[in-house]
Amino acid sequence: MKHAKYLLLLALCLTLTACGPKPAEAVALDLDYIANTLSDSGYFPQPLEAQDPELVPGLLNLYENRVEAGPEDVAQARYTMSLGMVADQFLLLEGTDGEAAGRLEQALATYTEDQRSAYEFYAPDQAARMDDPIVERQGNYLLFAVGQDRDGLEKLCKALMSGEEVYLSDFLPNLPEPEPGQSAPDESEPDISAPDASQPEEPAPLTAEDKAAAYDAACDYYLGTVFDVQGLTEIGLRAGEITFQVSCTKGGAKVDPDRTISLARENGAWTVVSEGY
């Protein structure tokens, strides 16, 4: 009798196990499809430029001790940024596993703070847009985005991260219309009016020491990346910002064309604001 009761309980346990909820299958996302869809969505009116994915670990400061995540946590990445002085951008990441994705999510929070500090210096009107960026996670995948019509863009990002095919006609952005009658200011005559006291003062011109510090910061940026810097040539300069042309090799082969890197000065320190071709 005891044996029969044991068999009955065992059968009941097996039945309950079979009827229980099955674990959700991991979603495999196509980062190229998501990146191309976002680029075509209209939520980024300014021209965008895709950056080399191999530079993303440096962008997220994954070589620095202050960030828990490391370059080895990134299985693949896509990064696209605006060519203008605006915060429009999106960043796609796949972590090597769930724990790595969690560390990368924390790294994105640090990246957001760094971006806000940089924009406060050279594009103050864009800094506030870093207060509430879109961050979506699906399993080991992460999507970071800053664009126009935040609510509409967030709905599009959620749909893309679900792994389903998206029709952009269902996610049209609600962008503000230009005000009628607006025209560009007449620049034929110099403006002799008093300066606007509400605007921040222009940073002091760069000294030789400033340029040397920017040069060192640019070189440091490439440490640990796939690029070996052969030389930097200054090609752009204005108060508080400097741009270098970067002659470098990758795997021993010369990179052609040369890359460029721009840095902005903030409280005496230099921060990379753009890098690419």
Side-chain angles (χ1 to χ4, degrees), residues 1-260:
M1 181 63 69
K2 290 183 178 180
H3 183 66
K5 289 182 178 180
Y6 173 78
L7 292 176
L8 179 61
L9 289 173
L10 178 60
L12 179 60
C13 290
L14 292 174
T15 301
L16 291 174
T17 302
C19 296
K22 296 181 179 179
E25 294 183 3
V27 176
L29 299 180
D30 184 342
L31 297 195
D32 287 326
Y33 170 73
I34 296 176
N36 292 335
T37 302
L38 286 172
S39 295
D40 296 338
S41 67
Y43 286 93
F44 308 92
Q46 297 289 335
L48 296 176
E49 181 177 279
Q51 304 296 309
D52 191 330
E54 293 175 333
L55 291 175
V56 168
L59 177 78
L60 297 180
N61 300 307
L62 301 188
Y63 301 102
E64 299 183 12
N65 293 331
R66 67 187 178 107
V67 179
E68 184 178 354
E72 67 279 359
D73 289 330
V74 181
Q76 58 172 329
R78 305 289 185 274
Y79 176 53
T80 300
M81 62 178 291
S82 169
L83 296 178
M85 290 291 187
V86 295
D88 289 2
Q89 60 182 283
F90 62 83
L91 177 62
L92 287 155
L93 297 168
E94 181 189 3
T96 52
D97 54 34
E99 293 184 357
R103 291 190 291 269
L104 291 173
E105 191 169 8
Q106 295 176 359
L108 284 174
T110 302
Y111 170 74
T112 301
E113 296 172 1
D114 291 344
Q115 285 282 289
R116 194 188 197 291
S117 297
Y119 280 118
E120 282 178 343
F121 178 76
Y122 72 91
D125 60 316
Q126 297 295 308
R129 301 183 63 201
M130 284 295 168
D131 288 340
D132 191 22
I134 296 168
V135 180
E136 294 290 332
R137 179 175 175 182
Q138 174 68 269
N140 296 346
Y141 298 92
L142 293 158
L143 167 57
F144 175 97
V146 178
Q148 306 299 318
D149 182 13
R150 187 195 181 284
D151 291 341
L153 178 57
E154 184 174 34
K155 292 177 183 178
L156 173 59
C157 290
K158 287 181 181 295
L160 288 169
M161 293 296 279
S162 71
E164 299 178 0
E165 185 177 2
V166 167
Y167 298 95
L168 288 178
S169 58
D170 297 331
F171 297 92
L172 296 178
N174 181 20
L175 303 181
E177 295 289 339
E179 296 183 14
Q182 280 192 336
S183 60
D186 183 6
E187 298 180 355
S188 59
E189 296 184 4
D191 182 8
I192 58 174
S193 61
D196 185 356
S198 64
Q199 297 299 319
E201 295 183 2
E202 284 292 322
L206 298 181
T207 65
E209 290 77 9
D210 293 329
K211 294 180 182 181
Y215 186 99
D216 291 340
C219 291
D220 290 343
Y221 177 85
Y222 290 101
L223 292 178
T225 71
V226 296
F227 299 105
D228 292 321
V229 175
Q230 306 300 308
L232 300 177
T233 304
E234 179 187 316
I235 59 173
L237 179 65
R238 66 176 185 175
E241 187 171 327
I242 190 169
T243 300
F244 295 104
Q245 180 174 323
V246 185
S247 174
C248 58
T249 60
K250 179 180 177 182
K254 177 73 170 63
V255 174
D256 187 24
D258 289 341
R259 304 182 70 84
T260 60

